[in-house]
Amino acid sequence: MSTMTTPVLEARNVTMRFGGLTAVRSVDFTVNSGEIVGLIGPNGAGKTTFFNCLTGLYVPTEGTVSYKGTVLPPKPHLVTQAGIARTFQNIRLFANMTVLENVLVGRHTRTKEGLWSALLRGPGFKKAEKASEERAMELLEFIGLAHKRDHLARNLPYGEQRKLEIARAMASEPGLLLLDEPTAGMNPQETRATEELVFAIRDKGIAVLLIEHDMRFVFNLSDRVAVLVQGEKLVEGTSEVVQADERVIAAYLGEPFEGEPGEAEAAEVAAAEAEAAAPSTTSTKGEGQ
Amino acid sequence: MTDTTKTQPATRGLIPLPEAAARGLLLAGGIATAASAFLAWTWTSAFPGDLTINGYPGGLQWLTFTAGLLTTLFALALYGVRGLGWLLPARNNAPLALTALGGFGTTWFTVIAISNKLGGVVNLEPGGWIAAIASLLPVIGAFALHQQGVGEGSVKESIKAYLTKPDSIPAAQPLTPWLERAVITLVTILGLGVFTYGIDTEYGELFIGYLIVVAFSLWALNTAGLNDRFSRLVAHNRSFTLAMGFLAAIAFPFTQTDDHYANIGVNILIFGTVALGLNIVVGLAGLLDLGYVAFLGVGAYTAALVSGSEFSRFSGVQFPFWAAALTGAAASLIFGVLIGAPTLRLRGDYLAIVTLGFGEIFRIAVNNMDGDSGPDITNGPNGIPSIPDLNFFGFNLGQSHDIGGFTLGRFANYYLLMVLIMAIVVLVYTRAADSRIGRSWIAIREDETAATAMGINGFRVKLIAFALGASLAGLAGTVSAHVTYSVVPTPYQFAGSTPPNSAFLLAAVVLGGMGTVAGPILGAALLYLLPEKLVFLQDKSLLAFGIALILLMRFRPEGIIANRRQQLEFHETGQLAVPEQTTLTDEPATATKAGA
């Protein structure tokens, strides 16, 4: 699938400054259709800021973001309307709405019924409501939460809340799904299930861009991985390329001492670490075995 | 606490008595309480209600009688008398304790009020003493019943164990559809009766006694699980219940002989309608609006200006009512959009402050548009008096009419018009809430950032909520202008001692239960009746409300009528529905208010 090269998302020269702090510096970034792309980087590297620039929550200081060739206006609801849906790092479900209602809210941009049609309740309204509900139920079947449609979102276990957030995002029929740390706080089984889910989403023809700290997860899934360090894109390439890159290792583990243990030794250590790099980074879950 | 005491030999009562004695005390005490209402409690009719007659209860004695009767019924159900099992499905002690407390409360309140008013306990006849003692017996009995969880903690925790609703209530046997409807009809009639009695109470003492009995009885029914069961019936017959509710509302003026009470009714309806409109803004969309009463004012002023009143700036213009109502709603809508467009970009506290400011701007502007300080439009502080009565096809709402042997006075006519408006508003509210736009309001309330990330145009959706709420208030305002003959700027302020004002409206929504239909209406009824009935509180009423609100927020933050969402929180099955009627609710709030 990686042979297809129609770009879905193109970020050009995106820069985000907060006062004197440059959180994201001239990042060029592309996601092609049918791709799963990982975005990694140490804490504070600007991943979530970059995400927020893509989804219109922040207006980039410089640069443009375009979806399928059209430049996106920096308004979250218009970005979603255009076809980019997202989840959040710390789950942001509508806690006091039911599971079904959460997904129905996701349908907002793909339905049109306004206040008048709600008040008059014509046949069009009923048809649209029914269609929305059917579509939402399909998505709940897809993530395996159909039996909990009438539960409050707040009462779901953590893993299911994550899944529901993905279903809610998918309800807006996106061409690109942005997942912000989808496995944060999950145990190994749940992480594996999420992996399957992400593959299944890609098989539906939706490109996926994910931020993750779980390196094994990222490298298993991604067709391409980009590394963001201190707001700048350091490397981009396949899992193998990124894992072998010294700068990435340095960014995660710190620079080796200049000269101290001997250059040759340092290179040796670096080479050894390159192989073990993925599972021994910042994330604490699902690895170390 | 769900277990019956018989199977739990380890349990004991708070008051050490054998179980059989406790039950006996309950039954005997309940009967004695009811019977004591037939004695003379005092020697003079100086105390209102004439409690001097042996053999026939009067005034407050009826309340003691009712409470005693309820206690007796529950006690019989505890004994397992056939045909009464449905009263106590969970066989728990809480309903008994609560009805006993209700009887005790109202009786002792009466006795103390008599002594206080007439100057000493010497004014009590033996009947009064008997009633006081009789009403104490079931309380002792109830707290001597064996109850799980008693004696393990402090006394406070033990008492709490007696009053808590059990976690699970056995499901009721399914009823046939016609029987379900019969039950709903019966409950509606009962509800109308109880409500009418409350409005018709003639003196403050009777109203307080009424509140005590009603609050404790409803609380008891709730802990018995009958509230949940009724909600389930309502869920099966949603539209039937709604129809019955409106029939009951229409029936109210026909039960009244005095037009004064119809006046109270119409004012409650106006207040309730506006509160329901505010509920869209506050309860659904989560926008705290502290200047909402201004929209009622816009509607009222608009209707007054086009009513044909000779004091109106446009005195030659007289719109028919439908046109005036639409103009009023439209004017409020425009004001809503004008105020909302700049302010709705703010969130939370900032929005509240700005709306508070705009609300005051309306009142001050209207006060100054008298031709001296500003353009001559509203006649300044004098307002627009002599608004003519409405006339529908020759049916003048200002005059009394005889319909089928019942006399409908001026206020009763307006009451019926207001029922129609209320029906429209309820329809608008329920339909808007259960739709794409309603879901996006709730989503905005829950998490605005996530909602916009789901493609909801937050500003647009909030503006629609604001404008819709404003136009509903404007609609109610057009009627209120005609009901009160005149419009003046003073009622449209932020806070005052009588409704409507923005603080009272907000209190009605929060007190009744945000996001429900019945909640704000019930809250409005309570908040209107309390200052109306408790005249002696007059200058302290705001203090009393403050205390009552604080207590409510401490003990029942979701309001008197809980939202379906909050109910779902406690019940995983998702089977529950909104209680539609104001007849079966848990009302500890009224109890605290009565005491305040």
Short mmCIF file of all heavy atoms in Angstrom, two decimals, chain B residues 19 32 35 96-97 144 160 225 241 246 254 268 279 343 349 368 389 398 401 407 428 450 467 479 486 516 520 571 583:
data_model
loop_
_atom_site.label_atom_id
_atom_site.label_comp_id
_atom_site.label_asym_id
_atom_site.label_seq_id
_atom_site.Cartn_x
_atom_site.Cartn_y
_atom_site.Cartn_z
N GLU B 19 -38.57 -6.39 68.19
CA GLU B 19 -39.08 -6.08 66.87
C GLU B 19 -40.60 -5.98 66.86
O GLU B 19 -41.19 -5.08 66.26
CB GLU B 19 -38.60 -7.16 65.88
CG GLU B 19 -39.08 -7.00 64.47
CD GLU B 19 -38.31 -5.94 63.68
OE1 GLU B 19 -37.36 -5.36 64.24
OE2 GLU B 19 -38.66 -5.70 62.52
N ALA B 32 -53.25 6.19 65.91
CA ALA B 32 -53.51 7.21 66.93
C ALA B 32 -53.28 8.61 66.38
O ALA B 32 -54.05 9.53 66.66
CB ALA B 32 -52.61 6.97 68.14
N ALA B 35 -56.14 9.48 64.24
CA ALA B 35 -57.35 9.69 65.05
C ALA B 35 -57.29 10.99 65.83
O ALA B 35 -58.31 11.67 66.00
CB ALA B 35 -57.52 8.50 66.00
N LEU B 96 -41.12 3.99 56.30
CA LEU B 96 -41.81 4.08 57.59
C LEU B 96 -41.24 5.21 58.42
O LEU B 96 -41.96 6.05 58.97
CB LEU B 96 -41.66 2.76 58.33
CG LEU B 96 -42.48 1.65 57.71
CD1 LEU B 96 -41.81 0.32 57.87
CD2 LEU B 96 -43.85 1.64 58.32
N ALA B 97 -39.92 5.22 58.50
CA ALA B 97 -39.28 6.26 59.29
C ALA B 97 -39.63 7.64 58.75
O ALA B 97 -39.91 8.57 59.52
CB ALA B 97 -37.76 6.05 59.28
N ALA B 144 -36.96 1.92 66.27
CA ALA B 144 -36.69 0.71 67.03
C ALA B 144 -36.69 -0.51 66.12
O ALA B 144 -36.31 -1.60 66.54
CB ALA B 144 -37.74 0.55 68.13
N LYS B 160 -28.78 7.68 59.39
CA LYS B 160 -28.65 7.71 57.94
C LYS B 160 -29.02 6.35 57.34
O LYS B 160 -29.66 6.27 56.30
CB LYS B 160 -27.21 8.07 57.57
CG LYS B 160 -27.09 8.88 56.30
CD LYS B 160 -25.67 9.34 56.11
CE LYS B 160 -25.41 9.65 54.65
NZ LYS B 160 -24.01 9.90 54.39
N GLY B 225 -39.16 3.01 46.59
CA GLY B 225 -38.93 2.53 45.23
C GLY B 225 -40.11 2.76 44.32
O GLY B 225 -40.09 2.38 43.15
N THR B 241 -48.61 10.17 29.24
CA THR B 241 -48.34 10.91 30.47
C THR B 241 -48.30 12.40 30.22
O THR B 241 -48.85 13.19 31.00
CB THR B 241 -46.99 10.48 31.07
OG1 THR B 241 -46.92 9.07 31.03
CG2 THR B 241 -46.84 10.96 32.47
N PHE B 246 -50.91 17.68 30.79
CA PHE B 246 -51.52 18.92 30.30
C PHE B 246 -53.00 18.98 30.59
O PHE B 246 -53.55 20.04 30.88
CB PHE B 246 -51.23 19.10 28.81
CG PHE B 246 -49.89 19.74 28.61
CD1 PHE B 246 -48.81 19.00 28.19
CD2 PHE B 246 -49.71 21.08 28.92
CE1 PHE B 246 -47.57 19.58 28.06
CE2 PHE B 246 -48.47 21.66 28.80
CZ PHE B 246 -47.40 20.92 28.36
N PHE B 254 -60.52 25.02 36.75
CA PHE B 254 -61.89 24.58 36.99
C PHE B 254 -62.09 24.14 38.43
O PHE B 254 -63.20 24.01 38.90
CB PHE B 254 -62.26 23.44 36.03
CG PHE B 254 -62.31 23.88 34.60
CD1 PHE B 254 -61.21 23.73 33.77
CD2 PHE B 254 -63.45 24.48 34.09
CE1 PHE B 254 -61.26 24.16 32.45
CE2 PHE B 254 -63.51 24.91 32.78
CZ PHE B 254 -62.40 24.76 31.95
N ILE B 268 -47.12 31.38 38.03
CA ILE B 268 -46.22 30.23 38.08
C ILE B 268 -45.91 29.74 36.68
O ILE B 268 -44.77 29.43 36.34
CB ILE B 268 -46.84 29.09 38.92
CG1 ILE B 268 -46.86 29.46 40.40
CG2 ILE B 268 -46.09 27.79 38.71
CD1 ILE B 268 -47.53 28.43 41.27
N ASN B 279 -33.46 26.93 30.81
CA ASN B 279 -32.90 25.59 30.92
C ASN B 279 -32.20 25.16 29.64
O ASN B 279 -31.24 24.38 29.67
CB ASN B 279 -34.02 24.62 31.28
CG ASN B 279 -33.50 23.30 31.80
OD1 ASN B 279 -32.37 23.22 32.25
ND2 ASN B 279 -34.32 22.28 31.74
N THR B 343 -20.73 38.14 23.22
CA THR B 343 -20.39 37.55 24.52
C THR B 343 -20.09 36.06 24.45
O THR B 343 -19.36 35.55 25.28
CB THR B 343 -21.53 37.74 25.53
OG1 THR B 343 -22.71 37.18 24.98
CG2 THR B 343 -21.76 39.18 25.84
N ASP B 349 -16.99 31.75 33.61
CA ASP B 349 -17.24 32.88 34.49
C ASP B 349 -17.32 34.19 33.73
O ASP B 349 -18.11 35.07 34.06
CB ASP B 349 -16.12 33.00 35.53
CG ASP B 349 -15.92 31.70 36.27
OD1 ASP B 349 -16.78 30.83 36.13
OD2 ASP B 349 -14.91 31.57 36.98
N ASN B 368 -34.48 54.73 31.15
CA ASN B 368 -34.07 56.06 30.70
C ASN B 368 -34.66 56.48 29.37
O ASN B 368 -34.51 57.64 28.98
CB ASN B 368 -32.54 56.11 30.61
CG ASN B 368 -31.92 56.23 31.98
OD1 ASN B 368 -32.23 57.14 32.74
ND2 ASN B 368 -31.09 55.26 32.33
N ASP B 389 -57.03 44.14 27.55
CA ASP B 389 -57.11 42.68 27.60
C ASP B 389 -57.18 42.10 26.20
O ASP B 389 -57.59 42.77 25.25
CB ASP B 389 -58.33 42.26 28.41
CG ASP B 389 -58.03 42.26 29.89
OD1 ASP B 389 -57.02 41.65 30.27
OD2 ASP B 389 -58.79 42.90 30.64
N GLY B 398 -60.45 39.31 29.45
CA GLY B 398 -60.53 40.13 30.65
C GLY B 398 -61.79 39.90 31.45
O GLY B 398 -61.90 40.37 32.59
N HIS B 401 -66.20 34.18 32.36
CA HIS B 401 -67.07 33.41 31.47
C HIS B 401 -67.55 32.19 32.22
O HIS B 401 -66.82 31.63 33.02
CB HIS B 401 -66.32 32.98 30.22
CG HIS B 401 -65.86 34.12 29.38
ND1 HIS B 401 -66.63 34.68 28.39
CD2 HIS B 401 -64.72 34.84 29.40
CE1 HIS B 401 -65.97 35.68 27.83
NE2 HIS B 401 -64.81 35.81 28.44
N THR B 407 -67.15 28.89 36.56
CA THR B 407 -66.88 30.28 36.22
C THR B 407 -65.38 30.46 36.06
O THR B 407 -64.61 30.15 36.97
CB THR B 407 -67.38 31.20 37.34
OG1 THR B 407 -68.75 30.88 37.59
CG2 THR B 407 -67.26 32.66 36.94
N VAL B 428 -41.04 22.44 22.13
CA VAL B 428 -39.80 22.95 21.54
C VAL B 428 -38.61 22.40 22.31
O VAL B 428 -37.63 21.92 21.73
CB VAL B 428 -39.79 24.50 21.57
CG1 VAL B 428 -38.40 25.04 21.30
CG2 VAL B 428 -40.76 25.05 20.55
N ALA B 450 -13.30 19.25 22.78
CA ALA B 450 -13.58 18.00 22.08
C ALA B 450 -14.74 18.18 21.11
O ALA B 450 -14.73 17.61 20.01
CB ALA B 450 -13.89 16.90 23.08
N ALA B 467 -30.31 32.23 21.33
CA ALA B 467 -31.41 32.88 20.63
C ALA B 467 -32.72 32.15 20.88
O ALA B 467 -33.76 32.78 21.10
CB ALA B 467 -31.11 32.94 19.14
N VAL B 479 -47.35 37.44 27.01
CA VAL B 479 -48.55 37.16 27.80
C VAL B 479 -48.47 37.90 29.14
O VAL B 479 -49.46 38.47 29.60
CB VAL B 479 -48.72 35.65 28.04
CG1 VAL B 479 -49.97 35.38 28.86
CG2 VAL B 479 -48.79 34.91 26.73
N SER B 486 -49.72 46.21 33.01
CA SER B 486 -48.73 47.25 32.72
C SER B 486 -47.33 46.65 32.75
O SER B 486 -47.11 45.61 33.38
CB SER B 486 -48.81 48.37 33.75
OG SER B 486 -48.42 47.87 35.00
N THR B 516 -33.83 18.92 32.73
CA THR B 516 -35.08 18.17 32.71
C THR B 516 -36.22 19.10 32.34
O THR B 516 -36.06 20.32 32.36
CB THR B 516 -35.39 17.54 34.07
OG1 THR B 516 -35.53 18.60 35.02
CG2 THR B 516 -34.27 16.64 34.54
N PRO B 520 -37.38 22.51 36.12
CA PRO B 520 -37.51 23.96 36.21
C PRO B 520 -38.94 24.40 36.51
O PRO B 520 -39.15 25.41 37.20
CB PRO B 520 -37.08 24.44 34.83
CG PRO B 520 -36.23 23.38 34.29
CD PRO B 520 -36.77 22.10 34.85
N HIS B 571 -27.37 3.60 37.66
CA HIS B 571 -28.05 2.38 37.22
C HIS B 571 -27.51 1.98 35.87
O HIS B 571 -27.80 2.61 34.87
CB HIS B 571 -29.55 2.61 37.14
CG HIS B 571 -30.14 3.05 38.43
ND1 HIS B 571 -30.57 2.18 39.38
CD2 HIS B 571 -30.31 4.29 38.95
CE1 HIS B 571 -31.00 2.86 40.42
NE2 HIS B 571 -30.85 4.14 40.19
N THR B 583 -45.33 14.96 40.29
CA THR B 583 -46.09 14.40 41.40
C THR B 583 -45.27 13.44 42.24
O THR B 583 -45.53 13.30 43.42
CB THR B 583 -47.30 13.64 40.86
OG1 THR B 583 -46.86 12.85 39.77
CG2 THR B 583 -48.35 14.60 40.41
#
